[in-house]
Amino acid sequence: MNVSEDISRSIWTLPAGVQYTLTSIQCLMVTATLLGNAGTIVAFYKVRGLREKPSDLFILSLSCADLLMGCVITFTVPTYALGYWAWGKTMCQLFAALANIAVIAGILNTLMICWDRYILISKEYPKYVKIQSQRRVIGTITVVWVYSLVTGFIEWVVWDVVKVPETVYEFDFTRECRSPPKHNFVFQTQAFTRNVFLPLLGIEGLSVAFVVLLRRRLHKRMQVTDFEFSNTQSQQLQERSDQPGGSSTVSRCDAAHTSMSTGGSTSGHSRNIGTDSTNMPVNARNAEHTSSNPKNRYVKAAITLAALVIALNLCLLPFLLYTLYVSLVCPTCSDRLIRDTLSNIFVPLNSCINPILYAVTMSKIKRFYKRLFGLNG
């Protein structure tokens, strides 16, 4: 196929209804992505508690990558509306570079979140806090962004400076935005393996390892709790039997415990039901126990991690599977509309969904939005 035929196939000729539908979807995605991620960043600025835990800075970094993706896809809205690229070669180069940076930074930040959760579940909490210090977390985020910037602009350098053999460069950039390096099989394969395949493999592996270790830890915790409860009950019974009255005291205590469990209402119960032997209200003690319960800490981390990984897979895998199918199985089956729809709608959709997941799974961000919209009452 010659260049002119390739260009003519790349320019969209869509029915008006499909074209307007895709444009409307893009507009909604841009609005939701920009507002949602900007809201998350403002929440980190306003809510001090979000900045106290160093690992939460990975969420802030991921929000910045998603916000950049929202800025990038604003370029595609006129493209869907007009049916062709109207920004020229320089803006096409900038668009390609920023898109690469946003995608790479998003995947790597998700990988770092998975790595953080793996350390959380594989180490005891004091050791985890020592490993994931604020200085180390900030250093990791800096490395992620430096790598993403360098890798994203390499394509631009290869595009303009290095003329790679067997690469098509003669595109009409007043009608379309095509990246010549991506038409070189070797460059495309290396970039995909290094920036997408290997990080995704790490994300899946760390997620599975986290789930396995979480089940082991919770099972072990349950066994230890049952053992401690049994010992406590035995000690209490022994102490009561040593008191004057002996077994009759134990019997009265057991009867009182049974009555309270079945909803009995004596005057003694009404005095004691709100407090325990430490004179602390039961609700306050339960809250204190919940806040310091390792099970809650691990489960909350698991919920956030699962939501992010599932959303990433649902949005990214369709495009990757289609690209692999076209590249390895059926090169003649490539369809520009399908490929661009997957890359310009499904892939950026992840950046639109992530802020919603933060608001649902992270209590501090949820409370921030409730205060913002006056929903506390």
Side-chain angles (χ1 to χ4, degrees), residues 108-181:
L108 291 182
N109 276 296
T110 305
L111 177 62
M112 291 301 102
I113 292 172
C114 294
W115 173 247
D116 172 79
R117 299 302 190 259
Y118 174 77
I119 297 176
L120 172 66
I121 201 67
S122 63
K123 307 292 183 182
E124 294 301 325
Y125 192 70
K127 190 172 183 179
Y128 160 77
V129 172
K130 185 177 180 180
I131 294 174
Q132 290 295 77
S133 62
Q134 186 173 15
R135 182 178 180 181
R136 182 167 296 182
V137 169
I138 293 176
T140 303
I141 292 173
T142 302
V143 171
V144 165
W145 278 99
V146 169
Y147 176 82
S148 302
L149 289 169
V150 172
T151 305
F153 281 103
I154 279 178
E155 186 172 312
W156 194 336
V157 173
V158 172
W159 188 336
D160 258 353
V161 179
V162 182
K163 297 296 182 180
V164 181
E166 300 180 1
T167 301
V168 177
Y169 287 90
E170 300 172 359
F171 297 116
D172 183 4
F173 293 102
T174 63
R175 300 289 295 172
E176 63 173 343
C177 180
R178 304 285 290 275
S179 173

Side-chain angles (χ1 to χ4, degrees), residues 180-200:
K182 284 191 170 64
H183 289 264
N184 183 276
F185 180 78
V186 176
F187 180 90
Q188 186 178 17
T189 302
Q190 291 180 349
F192 171 80
T193 302
R194 183 177 61 254
N195 300 323
V196 178
F197 178 74
L198 292 179
L200 276 179

Side-chain angles (χ1 to χ4, degrees), residues 342-361:
L342 290 175
S343 62
N344 294 331
I345 291 182
F346 274 80
V347 174
L349 184 62
N350 182 238
S351 300
C352 178
I353 295 175
N354 281 343
I356 301 174
L357 300 180
Y358 306 147
V360 172
T361 62

